[in-house]
């Protein structure tokens, strides 16, 4: 009966009476539990309720339950009320749990009171079945209440009843209710917690004393985070986890670096001192100390170790989340079958950012998707109960900062950070849950921020009452010491000695940091990154990317072979026939065939390929078809998994409708798999706008800030085809604005050979920089946008393409320089006009600017030939302003563009044609 929410209270007795009448008319129409109850339960006289009863019969105890309290039926009614009370504690117990270290009152919850269900004081000593609590013997109601309040209303509050899977709920109930949500710690474990609390507290005090007023974004008020992470990593070691990836924002990062990851405090102090000698070493590069990452081997007390990495992160708080998960996925893939392939991700959030930033639900949505699973992530929210100056009532619409996490079928643990052993219980349970179900877990650790947003901020300006309470609070370490003293597990002298030992160690570290003999450690690049280089483009030689023609023919033929029992769609069958013709040299290669050959050739050479994006399996423009679907029964055939018997792994996944999280994930993957070809494709080029933070804060600046290289490839459909503002431009100009110090590569390709060589070059060449490719739309099937097998077999990537139609260079009086799709419009107009005195050069690579190659191409023509830049984009967009600046004002005599505009393109197809015609007219009009 409890499943239907039909507990028999005075308020819903009319419902029970109506249900009884309905049962007498039509038993099958009544819910099964009530039907069984009405049909089989005895009324105390040994006869079933239905025996000889008429419609006017009312079961004793049902409508006057106290009057028949001694009957079996009345006991059933009371039991039902108790069961509903149990369920209410599971659902709503967290609403009264003592979570806030500042001890602010919470709203009472009537549903957690026995009187809400008609239970009275006299029922507290009545025996009831406790089977719903997983116990075999009857318990008094007051005992049941004690179990429920201890489990759900003490210092841990749990939200898990939103989970649909009854097995998951049962597992959680059994674990929590059997122990009443308490963990039993041995003395050694308690001392370790105290040691970590001491390290955390003393470091913060030390920094505040030695670097008065310096920004450190201290952890004060939330120091329990350090033993939480220590307990988590220690348990992960016991679970044979080989890799731990941490992601977090700036608050508490210095403490985590020193007391969890193991970065020596001397280096942190050196960063505070910011000496002239160090500035010369970095020469203006780098980032502030509370954004830096670190990696180290973490050792447990019993000698076990785990490799731990704290990701670099800018001030955009939560945007590191998908990056961290992508890194872990890469490690899992790289070390599959090896202990290091058993990885764990822990992401530390702020309460305001977890509730407020859209990247959070985007990232959560990845958790159970095949292309992005990492075995479950532990999310730890350091809940300061305040943003910068913004309180919860202004920061979110729900009760909790974690409400967004209820989109997943996972538990959410709220825990009072002032009670370290409650935190220990939660992290122990969270890791066991993750191991059992391979799902995320959220831990919402309530604490407070002792100082302002930074050390120079005055929080009492906006929250005077809150900070009056905080000023009066003792640190959590003192509270825990008092608790241990009461237990007799430690003496005050031992506690004081721990603190003094930490202070002495920090003093020695500071002395070392300030010693004249101190030398900052050299920045070394080793391990999987040892063969790869960053820096300037010119310092790394070009490489041959072509392959023997016979090999290309064999690969292309293999890509057209399907199992005998596979039934392709008729249009797919036609596409495969055309590819076989390409393999036989009877048909030129199109874009999709060249791209497929790039993937296939790398796979057989042992290079992993990972490719994700919205609808990338088929391709937004129906050109790729990397995953085929049987036309009769729908089963899949993934063609790139069948190129060769001993090929490298390949992953091609349609992504969710997300840009920021998915691009961040792939960027993270590229950080730990430099020898793979990692690609992300936007459905339309403009969609990348939604991932701008990932581009700005990670992709283009990570080498400069953190010396982190990436070979990620971004494919962005770009081209003016009259499809409106958003579907025309991939915002080429934004990438060029961000281009400096050869930090990225930007290309706008026009031939299948170019995409083949560019993709292979990205892996074969040891230079690792992000590659942004403006990919075509109309050119995917343009009859002129083709290449031969010889084009793929010979040479390599050509940054500048000369005009194949300008055989007599001496005739040329005007050179049009362009990039991308507009070339084919210009070439067609040139043929129409017979304009042999015009040459059209294409820049396939825009950045790093191919100055030498462009100058060499121009030198083939007469010295005073006019050079004009032509682009489809408005004058203030596209490549023109960047190229004009980079090459100097004297290189080009003129430019032809659309007029400057606030919007990339017109929404009118007719207006588009008029604008395009004007560009072509001006390109060939000598009086322009």
């Amino acid at each position: 009966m409890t499943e239907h929410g039909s507990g028999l209270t005075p308020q819903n007795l009319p419902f029970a009476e109506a249900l009884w009448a309905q049962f007498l008319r039509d038993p099958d129409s009544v819910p099964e539990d009530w039907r069984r109850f009405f049909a089989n339960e005895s009324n105390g006289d040994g006869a079933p309720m239905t025996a000889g009863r008429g419609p006017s019969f009312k079961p004793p105890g049902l409508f006057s339950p106290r009057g028949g309290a001694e009957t079996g039926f009345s006991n059933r009614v009371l039991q039902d009320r108790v069961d509903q009370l149990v369920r209410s504690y599971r659902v709503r117990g967290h609403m009264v749990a003592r979570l806030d270290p500042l001890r602010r009152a919470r709203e009472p919850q009537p549903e957690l009171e026995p009187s809400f269900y008609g239970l009275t004081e006299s029922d507290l000593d009545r025996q009831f079945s406790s089977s719903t609590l997983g116990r075999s013997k009857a318990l008094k109601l007051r005992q049941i209440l004690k179990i429920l309040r201890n489990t759900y209303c003490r210092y841990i509050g749990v939200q898990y009843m939103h989970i649909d899977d009854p097995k998951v709920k049962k597992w959680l109930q059994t674990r929590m209710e059997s122990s009443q949500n308490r963990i039993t710690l041995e003395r050694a474990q308690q001392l370790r917690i105290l040691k970590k609390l001491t390290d955390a507290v003393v470091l913060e005090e030390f920094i505040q004393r030695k670097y008065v007023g310096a920004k450190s974004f201290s952890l004060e008020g939330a120091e329990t985070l350090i033993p939480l992470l220590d307990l988590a990593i220690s348990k992960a070691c016991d679970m044979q986890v080989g890799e731990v990836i941490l992601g977090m924002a700036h608050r508490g990062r210095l403490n985590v670096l020193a007391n969890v990851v193991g970065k020596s405090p001397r280096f942190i102090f050196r960063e505070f001192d910011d000496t002239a000698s160090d500035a010369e070493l970095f020469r203006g590069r780098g980032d502030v100390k509370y954004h830096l990452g670190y990696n180290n081997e973490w050792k447990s007390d019993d000698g076990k170790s785990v490799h731990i990495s704290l990701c670099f992160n800018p001030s955009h708080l939560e945007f590191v989340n998908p990056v961290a998960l992508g890194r872990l996925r890469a490690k899992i893939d790289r070390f599959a079958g090896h202990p290091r392939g058993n990885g764990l991700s822990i992401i530390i959030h702020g309460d305001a950012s977890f509730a407020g930033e859209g990247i959070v639900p985007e990232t959560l949505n990845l958790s159970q998707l095949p292309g992005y699973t990492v075995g479950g992530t532990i999310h730890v929210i350091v809940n300061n109960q305040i943003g910068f100056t913004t309180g919860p009532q202004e920061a979110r619409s729900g009760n909790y900062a974690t409400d967004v996490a209820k989109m997943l079928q996972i538990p959410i643990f709220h825990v009072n950070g002032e009670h370290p052993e409650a935190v220990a219980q939660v992290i122990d349970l969270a890791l066991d849950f993750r191991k059992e179900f391979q799902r995320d877990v959220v831990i919402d650790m309530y604490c407070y921020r002792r100082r302002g947003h930074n050390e120079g901020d005055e929080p009492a300006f906006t929250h005077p009452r809150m900070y009056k309470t905080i000023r009066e609070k003792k640190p959590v370490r003192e509270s825990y010491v008092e608790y241990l003293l009461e237990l007799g597990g430690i003496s005050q002298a031992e506690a004081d000695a721990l603190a003094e030992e930490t202070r002495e160690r920090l003093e020695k570290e500071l002395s070392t940091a300030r010693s004249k003999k101190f030398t900052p450690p050299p920045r070394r690049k080793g391990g999987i990154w040892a063969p790869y280089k960053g820096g300037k483009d010119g310092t790394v030689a070009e490489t041959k990317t072509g392959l023997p023609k016979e090999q290309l023919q064999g690969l292309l033929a293999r890509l057209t072979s399907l199992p005998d029992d596979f039934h392709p769609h008729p249009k797919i069958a036609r596409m495969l026939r055309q590819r076989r013709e390409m393999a036989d040299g009877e048909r030129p290669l199109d874009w999709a065939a060249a791209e497929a050959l790039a993937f296939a050739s790398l796979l057989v050479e042992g290079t992993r390929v990972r490719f994700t994006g919205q609808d990338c399996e088929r391709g937004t423009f129906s050109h790729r078809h990397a995953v085929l679907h049987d036309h009769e029964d729908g089963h899949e055939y993934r063609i790139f998994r069948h190129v060769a018997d001993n090929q490298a792994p390949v992953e091609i996944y349609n992504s969710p409708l997300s840009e920021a999280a998915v691009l961040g994930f792939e960027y993270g993957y590229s950080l730990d798999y430099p020898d793979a070809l990692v690609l992300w494709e936007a459905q339309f080029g403009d969609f990348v706008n939604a991932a701008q933070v990932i581009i700005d804060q990670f992709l283009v600046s990570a080498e400069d800030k953190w010396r982190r290289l990436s070979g990620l490839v971004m494919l962005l459909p770009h081209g003016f085809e009259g499809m409106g503002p958003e579907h025309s431009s991939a915002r080429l100009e934004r990438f060029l604005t961000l281009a400096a110090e050869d930090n990225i590569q930007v290309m706008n390709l026009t031939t299948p050979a170019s995409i083949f060589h560019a993709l292979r070059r990205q892996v074969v060449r040891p230079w690792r920089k992000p590659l942004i490719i403006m990919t075509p739309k109309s050119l995917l099937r343009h009859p002129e946008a083709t290449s031969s097998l010889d084009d793929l077999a010979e040479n390599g990537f050509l940054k500048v393409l000369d005009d194949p139609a300008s055989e007599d260079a001496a005739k040329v009086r005007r050179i049009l320089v362009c990039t991308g799709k507009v070339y084919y419009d210009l070439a067609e107009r040139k043929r129409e006009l017979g304009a042999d005195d015009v040459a059209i050069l294409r820049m396939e690579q825009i950045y790093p600017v191919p100055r030498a190659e462009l100058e060499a191409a121009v030198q083939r023509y007469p010295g005073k030939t006019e050079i004009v830049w032509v682009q489809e984009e408005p004058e203030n967009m596209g490549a023109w302003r960047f190229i004009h600046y980079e090459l100097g004002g004297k290189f080009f005599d003129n430019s032809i563009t659309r007029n400057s505009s606030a919007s990339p393109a017109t929404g009118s197809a007719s207006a588009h044609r008029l604008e395009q015609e004007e560009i072509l007219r001006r390109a060939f009009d000598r009086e322009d």
Side-chain angles (χ1 to χ4, degrees):
M1 287 186 288
T2 55
E3 289 297 314
H4 302 286
S6 51
L8 301 182
T9 70
Q11 289 76 24
N12 63 16
L13 288 177
F15 165 77
E17 184 175 11
L19 203 61
W20 167 254
Q22 180 180 335
F23 172 78
L24 294 173
R25 291 193 306 271
D26 182 9
D28 291 338
S29 68
V30 175
E32 182 181 353
D33 52 354
W34 281 94
R35 184 167 69 247
R36 188 170 58 250
F37 175 65
F38 286 140
N40 300 323
E41 288 292 334
S42 169
N43 184 36
D45 58 5
M49 276 192 188
T50 53
R53 313 302 188 192
S56 61
F57 169 75
K58 294 183 178 180
L62 178 57
F63 303 106
S64 55
R66 294 292 166 195
E70 75 285 351
T71 68
F73 182 79
S74 180
N75 287 338
R76 176 63 179 269
V77 171
L78 293 175
Q79 182 68 51
D80 177 68
R81 297 176 180 182
V82 172
D83 289 345
Q84 286 224 25
L85 179 62
V86 171
R87 190 177 194 282
S88 289
Y89 268 88
R90 290 167 174 167
V91 174
R92 299 180 65 77
H94 60 88
M95 296 294 291
V96 298
R98 289 171 282 171
L99 303 176
D100 187 358
L102 303 180
R103 301 184 182 180
R104 288 170 288 197
R106 306 194 72 185
E107 290 290 329
Q109 301 296 316
E111 291 168 82
L112 302 181
E113 297 300 326
S115 59
F116 186 83
Y117 304 94
L119 296 164
T120 66
E121 191 75 23
S122 63
D123 293 319
L124 291 176
D125 290 312
R126 185 186 296 274
Q127 296 273 342
F128 292 96
S129 168
S130 61
S131 60
T132 188
L133 290 172
R135 289 164 167 79
S136 58
K137 66 177 183 178
L139 295 174
K140 293 179 180 180
L141 177 56
R142 69 173 67 251
Q143 293 175 298
I144 291 173
L145 279 170
K146 183 178 180 181
I147 293 171
L148 293 171
R149 288 168 179 166
N150 283 345
T151 302
Y152 298 111
C153 307
R154 198 163 39 193
Y155 301 117
I156 298 171
V158 192
Q159 291 178 282
Y160 70 102
M161 293 297 282
H162 59 280
I163 299 174
D164 295 327
D165 190 337
K167 292 181 181 178
V168 177
K169 282 195 286 193
K170 183 66 174 176
W171 188 92
L172 286 163
Q173 287 167 5
T174 300
R175 281 292 305 269
M176 293 187 294
E177 293 168 0
S178 63
S179 66
Q180 298 183 44
N181 242 349
R182 293 188 86 162
I183 191 170
T184 302
L185 297 176
E186 298 176 356
R187 181 177 185 273
Q189 294 171 306
Q190 291 175 324
L191 289 177
R192 185 173 181 93
I193 290 174
L194 178 60
K195 175 68 168 63
K196 285 299 175 181
L197 276 177
T198 301
D199 290 344
V201 170
V202 173
L203 177 63
E204 296 297 348
E205 293 173 347
F206 190 87
I207 289 173
Q208 298 305 322
R209 190 171 69 253
K210 299 294 185 178
Y211 299 98
V212 178
K215 285 185 181 181
S216 66
F217 295 95
S218 79
L219 192 61
E220 291 169 283
E223 292 96 338
T224 308
L225 176 66
I226 301 304
L228 182 156
L229 294 174
D230 182 70
L231 289 165
I233 298 168
S234 178
K235 187 174 178 72
C237 269
D238 294 337
M239 291 177 165
Q240 308 304 311
V241 167
E243 291 277 349
V244 173
I245 299 290
L246 293 175
M248 68 180 298
H250 45 275
R251 184 160 310 285
R253 176 179 284 256
L254 298 181
N255 216 309
V256 170
L257 279 166
N259 292 318
V260 176
V261 186
K263 182 176 182 178
S264 176
R266 68 186 63 176
F267 301 133
I268 296 174
F269 298 150
R270 190 75 174 190
E271 290 157 4
F272 270 106
D273 289 334
D274 195 16
T275 65
S277 59
D278 292 351
E280 177 63 24
L281 176 70
F282 294 111
R283 296 190 179 181
R285 294 180 183 271
D287 200 351
V288 290
K289 50 194 163 293
Y290 37 79
H291 290 171
L292 301 180
Y294 200 73
N295 65 85
N296 202 5
E297 285 295 318
W298 188 94
K299 298 285 186 181
S300 67
D301 289 342
D302 58 1
K304 296 176 183 175
S305 67
V306 59
H307 187 260
I308 182 170
S309 300
L310 175 63
C311 299
F312 295 84
N313 190 35
S315 286
H316 273 77
L317 303 176
E318 302 290 342
F319 279 84
V320 75
N321 301 354
V323 176
L325 299 186
R327 290 193 62 190
L328 181 59
R329 176 65 180 247
K331 289 176 180 291
I332 291 171
D333 289 347
R334 173 177 290 282
F335 299 114
H338 185 276
R340 288 189 67 181
N342 182 16
L344 169 66
S345 51
I346 303 175
I347 300 180
I348 304 160
H349 312 266
D351 51 317
S353 59
F354 194 83
E357 294 195 13
I359 191 71
V360 172
E362 281 194 43
T363 305
L364 291 174
N365 188 50
L366 300 178
S367 66
Q368 294 296 303
L369 302 181
Y372 308 92
T373 55
V374 294
T377 296
I378 305 297
H379 300 272
V380 179
I381 297 173
V382 178
N383 193 336
N384 292 313
Q385 306 181 73
I386 190 173
F388 191 148
T389 66
T390 302
Q393 72 280 0
E394 299 167 301
R396 58 178 184 263
S397 297
N399 288 323
Y400 292 111
T402 58
D403 284 348
V404 67
K406 291 179 74 174
M407 66 185 284
L408 299 183
Q409 298 285 292
I410 61 172
I412 301 168
F413 297 100
H414 308 279
V415 60
N416 189 322
E418 201 166 45
H419 292 267
E421 295 195 8
V423 173
Q425 160 65 9
V426 166
I427 197 65
D428 186 71
L429 184 55
L431 283 164
D432 285 344
F433 177 88
R434 176 190 179 271
K435 182 179 180 181
E436 182 73 19
F437 297 106
Q438 299 288 288
R439 299 188 192 182
D440 290 20
V441 183
V442 174
I443 299 173
D444 180 18
M445 189 182 78
Y446 274 68
C447 47
Y448 55 90
R449 192 184 68 198
R450 185 168 289 278
R451 300 178 186 274
H453 174 68
N454 59 60
E455 283 62 30
D457 183 48
E458 175 49 76
F461 287 158
T462 53
H463 294 79
R465 293 178 63 189
M466 179 183 188
Y467 274 87
K468 182 177 183 297
T469 302
I470 290 173
R471 283 194 299 270
E472 295 169 353
K473 280 195 67 64
K474 63 181 69 173
V476 61
R477 177 186 179 273
E478 290 185 28
S479 300
Y480 193 57
V481 167
E482 291 174 0
Y483 169 75
L484 293 180
L485 289 173
E486 290 177 10
L487 292 179
I490 193 172
S491 68
Q492 185 65 55
E494 288 175 305
D496 293 343
L498 282 176
E500 186 58 32
E501 178 187 330
T502 301
R503 290 188 191 98
E504 289 178 0
R505 178 171 57 87
L506 293 178
E507 288 287 359
K508 289 179 181 178
E509 290 288 314
L510 180 62
S511 177
T512 300
R514 291 177 172 175
S515 168
K516 293 182 179 181
K517 296 181 180 179
F518 180 85
T519 303
R523 298 199 174 200
R524 292 186 179 134
K525 177 171 57 67
I528 59 174
W529 276 98
Y532 305 104
K533 297 180 180 179
K536 292 291 185 179
D537 183 17
T539 63
V540 180
E542 282 295 341
T543 186
K544 184 178 183 297
T545 52
L547 293 172
K549 184 176 180 179
E550 296 76 15
Q551 182 181 353
L552 294 171
Q553 289 177 309
L555 289 172
L556 196 53
R558 187 72 187 90
L559 292 173
T560 66
S561 301
L562 301 180
D564 293 338
D565 61 348
F566 190 87
H567 309 93
H569 187 282
K571 290 184 178 180
I572 299 295
R574 183 171 70 246
M575 180 270 289
L576 294 174
R577 287 195 299 272
Q578 291 173 347
R579 284 199 179 174
R580 282 193 287 271
E581 293 172 2
M582 296 175 191
D584 294 337
E586 299 171 0
R587 187 184 190 93
L589 300 173
D590 60 14
W591 182 281
E595 179 193 83
L597 279 172
F599 295 158
S601 62
L602 290 170
L603 289 170
V604 299
E605 290 172 355
T607 297
R608 188 184 197 105
V609 174
R610 178 180 168 87
F611 188 0
T612 71
Q614 294 154 11
D615 307 294
C616 72
E617 292 179 0
R618 190 201 75 177
T620 298
F621 309 104
S622 296
H623 70 287
R624 183 169 296 115
H625 298 291
V627 180
L628 306 182
H629 300 265
D630 190 283
H631 195 46
E632 295 184 4
D633 62 18
H635 78 271
E636 293 181 349
Y637 182 75
R638 296 179 173 264
I639 60 174
F640 289 107
R641 292 184 179 177
H642 306 279
V643 181
D645 292 337
N646 58 347
Q647 69 174 72
V650 57
E651 299 174 291
I652 301 180
Y653 294 106
N654 288 337
S655 76
L657 194 62
S658 159
E659 289 80 37
V662 174
L663 180 59
F665 191 100
E666 301 310 329
Y667 171 75
Y669 195 99
S670 73
L671 295 179
D672 282 273
Y673 226 129
D675 44 337
L677 179 64
V678 184
L679 310 98
W680 174 76
E681 181 175 64
Q683 191 174 67
F684 282 92
D686 67 289
F687 287 13
V688 77
N689 291 352
Q692 198 65 42
V693 173
I694 298 294
I695 295 166
D696 292 349
Q697 304 297 330
F698 293 94
L699 200 72
V700 303
S701 58
E703 183 181 9
D704 201 44
K705 294 190 295 187
W706 311 318
R707 302 294 176 93
R708 292 307 309 263
L709 302 178
S710 166
L712 179 67
V713 179
M714 294 170 56
L715 303 179
L716 309 179
H718 175 89
F720 283 58
E721 280 105 353
M723 298 299 292
E726 274 63 61
H727 289 174
S728 295
S729 175
R731 295 291 190 176
L732 170 61
E733 63 280 356
R734 289 187 182 172
F735 294 99
L736 295 176
T737 299
L738 295 167
E741 302 176 293
D742 292 2
N743 60 330
I744 54 175
Q745 306 164 83
V746 182
M747 299 178 180
N748 194 7
L749 306 181
T750 60
T751 73
S754 287
I755 188 64
F756 173 83
H757 290 295
L759 292 179
R760 285 185 51 78
R761 175 181 184 250
Q762 184 69 357
V763 177
V764 175
R765 193 180 185 217
W767 197 59
R768 284 294 176 271
K769 298 294 177 90
L771 170 60
I772 294 92
I773 301 179
M774 305 285 117
T775 59
K777 295 181 287 182
S778 61
L779 299 191
L780 297 175
R781 294 174 179 82
H782 195 290
E784 300 296 323
T786 60
S787 298
S788 67
L789 283 168
D790 290 332
D791 293 329
L792 275 60
E794 299 169 357
N795 300 318
F797 177 70
L798 299 178
K799 301 174 184 178
V800 176
L801 298 180
D802 201 349
D803 191 339
S806 295
E807 296 180 359
D808 189 350
K811 291 183 179 180
V812 172
R813 296 294 176 266
R814 171 179 279 193
I815 300 172
L816 303 178
V817 182
C818 66
T819 182
K821 165 194 158 285
V822 73
Y823 164 76
Y824 289 97
D825 296 334
L826 294 169
E828 182 179 3
R829 182 59 55 91
K830 176 180 176 177
R831 287 194 299 271
E832 291 172 356
L833 298 175
D836 293 340
D837 60 344
V838 176
I840 309 171
L841 305 186
R842 280 170 280 176
M843 288 180 62
E844 298 288 276
Q845 176 174 299
I846 306 172
Y847 190 81
V849 178
R851 181 187 300 268
E853 290 84 352
L854 188 59
E855 289 176 348
V858 168
Q859 286 174 2
R860 190 169 78 88
Y861 301 98
K864 294 185 179 180
T865 304
E866 180 186 25
I867 303 176
V868 179
W869 177 266
V870 183
Q871 69 179 34
E872 296 179 293
E873 298 90 345
E875 191 271 345
N876 60 316
M877 300 179 190
W880 164 238
R881 289 185 177 179
F882 176 82
I883 290 295
H884 184 57
Y885 175 81
E886 286 290 320
L887 294 179
K890 295 182 180 180
F891 190 90
F892 290 101
D893 298 290
N894 203 349
S895 66
I896 299 172
T897 71
R898 279 174 165 79
N899 292 332
S900 291
S901 172
S903 174
T906 176
S908 164
S910 297
H912 163 77
R913 287 192 292 271
L914 291 173
E915 291 175 352
Q916 200 76 356
E917 178 60 31
E918 177 64 11
I919 287 174
L920 298 177
R921 183 195 65 75
R922 291 176 60 198
F924 292 91
D925 188 345
R926 304 308 293 280
E927 297 179 1
D928 184 73

